[in-house]
Amino acid sequence: MNIYHCEIDLRDNAKALAFAAALEAWMGHLLAHQVILGWRLCRRKLGFGAPQSRDFLLEIEVRDMTQLDQAFRYAGQADEEVEQLYTTVHQMVGEVDIGLYRPFPDPERAERMALI
């Protein structure tokens, strides 16, 4: 399993509950179409965190890099429903930092892997 990790600050005019509802619709759609395994949204509590921490944390679980690629391809397709769901979320996002994580230690021991 891999975790697509997104730290998010909303735009000044965006409402947190509207963002959460739009994100639930979008992630639910991706989950229903089996391009992700799961997701969760967390919000920083009482402003506690490092100064560079963003307000929201979104974690999206995917099986492997292939499934992550499929999720990106699915999000980029020319489909009116997909575009509307994605746009509703995206228009509320101000700043975002992204990372890709995996449980550790893992059986692949990726630190030792190389193609050349």
Side-chain angles (χ1 to χ4, degrees):
M1 176 183 45
N2 292 275
I3 303 166
Y4 190 68
H5 182 272
C6 311
E7 292 189 45
I8 302 164
D9 280 335
L10 300 182
R11 292 185 183 188
D12 289 336
N13 62 343
K15 303 293 184 204
L17 290 176
F19 171 70
L23 187 66
E24 184 171 2
W26 174 228
M27 292 293 114
H29 183 84
L30 294 176
L31 194 57
H33 286 84
Q34 301 179 349
V35 295
I36 64 172
L37 294 178
W39 68 282
R40 76 175 177 179
L41 180 66
C42 299
R43 189 171 192 185
R44 192 165 60 157
K45 188 169 184 173
L46 303 173
F48 183 71
Q52 69 274 17
S53 295
R54 304 235 177 255
D55 197 23
F56 288 93
L57 172 63
L58 170 63
E59 295 178 336
I60 303 170
E61 297 176 4
V62 293
R63 184 175 35 264
D64 51 27
M65 296 299 290
T66 301
Q67 188 177 34
L68 182 61
D69 185 56
Q70 290 170 346
F72 280 117
R73 289 177 187 274
Y74 185 83
Q77 71 179 331
D79 177 274
E80 190 174 314
E81 182 181 17
V82 168
E83 186 174 333
Q84 188 269 331
L85 289 166
Y86 171 80
T87 299
T88 301
V89 170
H90 187 72
Q91 68 187 4
M92 292 187 238
V93 173
E95 299 290 326
V96 64
D97 296 315
I98 309 258
L100 186 62
Y101 292 82
R102 69 184 192 281
F104 187 82
D106 60 336
E108 291 87 16
R109 298 303 307 215
E111 288 80 12
R112 298 184 193 174
M113 296 176 74
L115 296 176
I116 54 173

